[in-house]
Amino acid sequence: MVPHRSSRPAVRRVVSLVPSLTEAVAATEPGLLVGATDWCDHPADLGVVRIGGTKNPDTARIAALAPDLVLANEEENRAPDLGALRAAGLDVLVTEVRTLPQAFTELERVLVRGCGLARPAWLADAEDAWRDVRAAGPAVPAVVPVWRRPWMVLGRDTFAGDLLARLGVANVHAGHPERYPRIPLGELNACGAELAVLPDEPYRFTRDDGPESFPGLPCALVSGRHLTWYGPSLTEAAGVLGAALRAAGR
């Protein structure tokens, strides 16, 4: 079968403001990337112009790169920055990813319809990797911090929360009105959780920094890239995250 291609001509120069999308483009057609954020650390040998952070990109530098397309995300990037890029005459594609199915849809939109590339084999592999993932038993109620000082946790409608739910972990704050609420540590320890899931990004929780705050709770130290990134990491995320949860006894 001939891979499907978009009818839109392939763009030649792409700037990515999203680490997940940077990795996705690099794994599919690395020659397209001319700029990426300081946080885009996959692949490790990515040799492109760095244009600042996701929240404070250098819009003038981006414009000077003359990209055919700028890739962004409604959660990771600020509307004023995206507006400045559009005002400079740049084409900005903004993604929204809050569930696993939405991640697959948006990745295809970026790569095929946005960049004009063939649908990559790794995307089909990622879909296959998650197709039969089912929780083995009753969902385990968990608290999922993503920051401390102040403490912030996963709330409603998050991609990471959806991945955890598919692996049998029920985020106790999934019904919170905010997506990343600030909640005092005392309340986190009194919320009825039976597990703490501690990713190593955006805050780098480690064995020595995090578990001590949840005495009596098993703590699963997980890869933040596999929990929060949507891209090639999805091909192995179910296995990596599942192993970390099992290591915590869940």
Side-chain angles (χ1 to χ4, degrees), residues 28-245:
T28 308
E29 191 66 43
L32 289 184
L33 288 166
V34 296
T37 74
D38 299 339
W39 299 105
C40 294
D41 54 8
H42 281 78
D45 60 351
L46 184 65
V48 298
V49 174
R50 299 296 175 163
I51 48 76
T54 56
K55 304 296 186 187
N56 59 343
D58 187 333
T59 55
R61 176 174 287 188
I62 294 170
L65 290 171
D68 302 307
L69 184 65
V70 177
L71 302 177
N73 176 263
E74 51 89 29
E75 176 181 302
E76 295 195 50
N77 308 120
R78 302 184 313 141
D81 295 322
L82 304 184
L85 294 173
R86 291 191 178 101
L90 301 182
D91 186 4
V92 181
L93 189 162
V94 182
T95 58
E96 179 185 287
V97 177
R98 302 191 180 189
T99 67
L100 180 62
Q102 195 175 27
F104 292 140
T105 299
E106 289 288 70
L107 284 166
E108 179 164 342
R109 182 166 76 99
V110 165
L111 298 170
V112 179
R113 297 199 296 276
C115 296
L117 301 172
R119 195 176 196 271
W122 64 257
L123 185 52
D125 292 342
E127 291 172 323
D128 289 342
W130 282 93
R131 183 167 289 114
D132 296 323
V133 172
R134 300 287 187 279
V140 178
V143 59
V144 190
V146 293
W147 201 259
R148 67 183 303 178
R149 305 184 193 94
W151 286 94
M152 298 175 67
V153 299
L154 292 185
R156 64 172 180 84
D157 299 333
T158 66
F159 171 71
D162 187 39
L163 292 195
L164 289 172
R166 294 167 188 273
L167 293 167
V169 175
N171 175 18
V172 297
H173 296 102
H176 196 283
E178 298 178 23
R179 297 186 66 211
Y180 300 97
R182 297 185 180 189
I183 299 180
L185 183 59
E187 292 183 26
L188 296 182
N189 275 297
C191 68
E194 298 175 11
L195 174 70
V197 178
L198 304 175
D200 61 10
E201 66 173 80
Y203 185 89
R204 186 172 180 80
F205 289 106
T206 67
R207 294 190 182 279
D208 300 320
D209 185 358
E212 78 288 345
S213 297
F214 300 94
L217 277 187
C219 292
L221 293 162
V222 303
S223 162
R225 174 170 166 262
H226 290 96
L227 180 62
T228 64
W229 288 36
Y230 37 91
S233 58
L234 284 172
T235 60
E236 59 186 18
V240 171
L241 295 172
L245 294 170

